[in-house]
Amino acid sequence: MQWDREREVVVSRNRFSMTLDRARALPLSLLVAYVLAALLYSVHVPLYEAPDEPGHFDLIAHIVNRRSLPRQSVTAPNYAHHPPLYYGIAALPVAFTSLNDLQSMPQLNPDFVWPGQEGPAVAFHHTAETFPYSGRVLSLHLARLVSILAGLLTVILAMAIGASLFPAHKAVGLLAAALVAFNPQFLFVNSTVNNDSLLIAATTGALWQLMRIIQQPQATKQWVFLGVWAAAAILSKSLGLVVVGVIFACWLFLWARAKFQASYLKHGLALSLTMALLSGWWFVRNQLLYGDPLGWAVYRQAWSANLRTGPFTIAELPSLLRTQFQSFWGVFGWMNLYLPQWYYWAAGGLLALGAMGWIVAAMRGKTRALTGYQKSIYLIFAAHLLLLQAFLIYQNTVHNAALAQGRFLLPASVPIMFIAAVGLLALVPERVSWPAAILAAISLFILATYVLFRVIAPAYHVVPEPKTTLLTVSQRTEVTFDEMFALRGYEWSTEPLGDKTQLTVAFYWQAVRKPDFDYSVFVHVLDAQGQMQAQHDQAPGADDDFPPLAWKAGDIVVDRRVLEAPGDAAAGDLQLRVGVYNWQSGERLKTDSGADHIVLPIE
């Protein structure tokens, strides 16, 4: 019996150790997976192909270059109406880079019309944007890294909320955090330059701090901390005022429940003073510069194109809600790159299952088992979501379709996903809640990477090759034509074609400077006696609708040619004669040695 008791103690300790290891390993794995996914999104979403990224980055560059905040301008609209916290934080790493390299940045497409045209690209992209990054490209990727870190903070806070809300059922927190982290729209926003990333984190932090206050309402320092989170939300984006409304509603409720004890006046004063000291200067500055604390009058003039020209009607509401729902889960680019319809149906089905889970739990009496603390938090979550939605609908009565974006609901992403996670896990037996949550998290990660590599990345067909392309070229050359076109290398292959040999050649061209004409390249196949057996002329990049006039200095373009050679010719008997010429005048460009062509061996 003694041995049995000792074995039972050992088994219990082992189980506790395994549970503890799992409690540590799974959240860490989720965080690593989020960072990996966000980095992949950041690398594969081309620069400027996210809403307002050019304007957001220009504001960061202004802070770095001029050491001051920009002002709103009616004649040259900018993003100075946004509060400065995100831009100030992003300016810290950007300040250590060079912002002088304007040539490395994308060139905006002047024909692009928001919210979209046929094809998602808002900019023309070039080799200079690719890894290894330098100049402004490096600066922009560092700013994107700030967004990734803000998203990481949001996921960490989601886990902290789960640990506080369901300490005995940690699978709920894991599933909710995974639903937040691997929502493609969340990844898209938090991997590009966008102040929404910091707003989401600050709002989530304010909700988390509010949960701590519900547990310790008499701790004044907790109200001070809440004021810090609230100020961060306000200084991230004006939409942060929504969570401030929720905070003061909770304060009034707690004060009333405590029968208006004087101590709550002290708490409210601590909260208000903290917010005022940290964020009040922004409203004072707006009042002094523009005549109102929000700078709304100047904004209305500068961005009049975003304002409604007619009244909002109830008939528009279904379209608004549909667009909002889709772009909460994933509408990329500048609101013109949609997910497959099955994804939206699956997302709707997920929320429907979550709602069904709550109904099942209520029928089984499980909702009565919720503690008063848990019920209070869910009421706060619901209030925040409803108030945010009401504010967004109001904004859509003032603005046009520019405000009908689901990303503006992401500050309520954690409340939404916690409500869904509880309902989903209510549909499975408790003993399999951990495996179900883990399986769901893995599936969500896989789905998020699928969206990136099968939906987003293929939509941006970039002709210029990345800088790393030249590292793998088998036949290297260093020949320059008129200090404009450099032939960096070539590759070839052959295969029988009847009584002929099909010769496929890939030339790797790089622009030394921007071409001044759509020059053509001639390719001649020569036999052992130097006689021409085949010829092919065309502008490099023409097959991809990227002729030389579209190139920028540094662009690497692969020019593929298919030619026929004599069927009995051995590889060593063939040569390629290559040159660049003006197809209008016939004039050939000269190499550094003064020749008008080069001869390349096929060995």
Side-chain angles (χ1 to χ4, degrees):
M1 294 294 294
Q2 180 67 27
W3 182 83
D4 288 341
R5 283 196 297 272
E6 289 177 355
R7 184 177 64 178
E8 185 177 338
V9 170
V10 170
V11 170
S12 298
R13 286 176 178 173
N14 288 338
R15 286 177 178 171
F16 176 77
S17 178
M18 291 173 63
T19 302
L20 189 61
D21 290 343
R22 180 176 61 185
R24 292 172 177 171
L26 290 177
L28 180 60
S29 299
L30 179 60
L31 295 178
V32 171
Y34 160 75
V35 172
L36 175 61
L39 286 172
L40 287 173
Y41 270 68
S42 180
V43 168
H44 286 88
V45 175
L47 305 185
Y48 286 1
E49 299 299 347
D52 306 323
E53 189 168 56
H56 289 312
F57 183 72
D58 284 348
L59 203 155
I60 295 169
H62 179 101
I63 293 174
V64 172
N65 287 331
R66 304 191 184 184
R67 301 292 194 272
S68 65
L69 296 178
R71 297 184 179 186
Q72 293 192 65
S73 170
V74 175
T75 56
N78 56 25
Y79 285 63
H81 57 280
H82 285 301
L85 184 59
Y86 172 81
Y87 309 103
I89 294 173
L92 296 176
V94 170
F96 292 95
T97 65
S98 172
L99 290 173
N100 297 324
D101 183 14
L102 293 172
Q103 292 298 317
S104 66
M105 295 300 285
Q107 174 188 358
L108 291 175
N109 178 2
D111 297 324
F112 184 88
V113 179
W114 194 93
Q117 56 183 22
E118 187 175 349
V122 72
F124 303 112
H125 301 284
H126 300 272
T127 297
E129 299 173 41
T130 62
F131 186 84
Y133 308 128
S134 62
R136 282 194 167 227
V137 172
L138 175 60
S139 303
L140 198 143
H141 276 283
L142 289 174
R144 284 185 168 191
L145 184 60
V146 171
S147 296
I148 292 174
L149 294 176
L152 179 63
L153 177 58
T154 300
V155 179
I156 292 173
L157 287 167
M159 292 180 176
I161 288 173
S164 175
L165 197 54
F166 294 98
H169 302 282
K170 296 186 182 298
V172 175
L174 177 70
L175 178 57
L179 287 167
V180 171
F182 303 131
N183 174 3
Q185 191 68 41
F186 180 85
L187 284 167
F188 182 74
V189 167
N190 285 280
S191 63
T192 57
V193 181
N194 196 311
N195 59 349
D196 285 330
S197 60
L198 190 59
L199 171 66
I200 298 165
T203 300
T204 305
L207 293 174
W208 171 71
Q209 184 61 35
L210 199 53
M211 292 173 63
R212 300 183 70 186
I213 285 177
I214 297 298
Q215 294 176 310
Q216 296 178 294
Q218 293 298 338
T220 303
K221 67 177 182 180
Q222 298 295 347
W223 291 93
V224 172
F225 294 151
L226 181 60
V228 173
W229 283 111
I234 293 170
L235 290 177
S236 297
K237 199 168 187 174
S238 57
L239 202 58
L241 291 170
V242 171
V243 78
V244 174
V246 174
I247 287 170
F248 277 98
C250 289
W251 170 73
L252 285 172
F253 174 79
L254 291 173
W255 188 26
R257 192 177 66 175
K259 298 181 179 179
F260 303 101
Q261 292 179 11
S263 60
Y264 277 92
L265 288 176
K266 181 180 67 173
H267 301 328
L269 183 62
L271 168 66
S272 301
L273 283 177
T274 303
M275 289 174 51
L277 289 172
L278 294 177
S279 64
W281 66 270
W282 171 249
F283 302 102
V284 172
R285 177 181 183 270
N286 286 337
Q287 182 67 42
L288 294 175
L289 289 178
Y290 314 120
D292 69 87
L294 295 176
W296 175 243
V298 177
Y299 171 83
R300 286 181 64 93
Q301 296 179 60
W303 294 96
S304 58
N306 286 351
L307 301 179
R308 280 186 168 271
T309 56
F312 179 83
T313 63
I314 297 299
E316 296 178 65
L317 191 58
S319 177
L320 164 65
L321 295 178
R322 181 173 61 253
T323 300
Q324 190 183 64
F325 173 81
Q326 290 179 326
S327 52
F328 176 84
W329 294 100
V331 177
F332 312 108
W334 288 60
M335 287 290 288
N336 57 2
L337 180 58
Y338 284 76
L339 288 167
Q341 283 299 316
W342 62 260
Y343 193 100
Y344 300 121
W345 282 104
L350 187 77
L351 295 181
L353 283 175
M356 185 184 301
W358 277 93
I359 295 172
V360 170
M363 293 174 61
R364 294 175 178 174
K366 289 185 177 181
T367 54
R368 289 195 295 271
L370 291 174
T371 65
Y373 168 68
Q374 290 171 327
K375 292 177 181 178
S376 298
I377 300 307
Y378 270 100
L379 283 174
I380 291 172
F381 283 176
H384 174 59
L385 174 59
L386 292 175
L387 185 59
L388 179 61
Q389 180 66 297
F391 181 77
L392 290 175
I393 290 176
Y394 163 73
Q395 286 293 323
N396 277 276
T397 66
V398 178
H399 294 82
N400 57 24
L403 265 290
Q405 298 184 53
R407 64 184 170 96
F408 298 134
L409 268 179
L410 288 176
S413 182
V414 170
I416 292 170
M417 298 313 185
F418 263 96
I419 294 171
V422 171
L424 290 170
L425 289 179
L427 297 175
V428 301
E430 188 172 335
R431 66 179 182 276
V432 298
S433 59
W434 265 113
I438 294 170
L439 179 62
I442 294 172
S443 301
L444 289 167
F445 174 79
I446 293 173
L447 198 55
T449 54
Y450 167 87
V451 167
L452 174 62
F453 291 113
R454 296 301 299 272
V455 177
I456 299 176
Y460 299 99
H461 176 60
V462 179
V463 177
E465 297 288 327
K467 299 169 188 174
T468 53
T469 299
L470 298 179
L471 298 176
T472 59
V473 178
S474 58
Q475 303 291 328
R476 300 298 298 271
T477 60
E478 290 297 335
V479 181
T480 303
F481 293 85
D482 197 30
E483 294 301 320
M484 190 181 305
F485 296 93
L487 183 59
R488 300 299 188 194
Y490 68 105
E491 295 174 330
W492 57 272
S493 63
T494 60
E495 62 177 290
L497 186 65
D499 59 349
K500 298 283 187 179
T501 297
Q502 179 172 287
L503 177 64
T504 303
V505 187
F507 298 99
Y508 291 81
W509 296 97
Q510 186 170 29
V512 179
R513 58 187 171 92
K514 183 173 177 57
D516 56 11
F517 184 77
D518 280 332
Y519 293 92
S520 285
V521 171
F522 65 80
V523 180
H524 300 163
V525 179
L526 308 179
D527 60 19
Q529 287 73 42
Q531 299 298 311
M532 186 170 68
Q533 299 295 325
Q535 177 180 356
H536 192 284
D537 293 43
Q538 73 173 30
D543 286 344
D544 292 308
D545 197 24
F546 195 73
L549 278 177
W551 300 10
K552 288 174 64 174
D555 276 349
I556 299 170
V557 176
V558 181
D559 179 23
R560 293 179 172 84
R561 308 293 181 95
V562 179
L563 306 105
E564 290 184 358
D568 57 351
D573 295 334
L574 299 178
Q575 293 179 316
L576 298 173
R577 184 165 57 202
V578 181
V580 183
Y581 68 100
N582 183 314
W583 56 267
Q584 282 187 338
S585 65
E587 181 182 359
R588 295 185 179 185
L589 302 186
K590 297 294 193 296
T591 66
D592 296 336
S593 64
D596 64 2
H597 69 272
I598 59 171
V599 177
L600 304 172
I602 299 295
E603 299 175 342

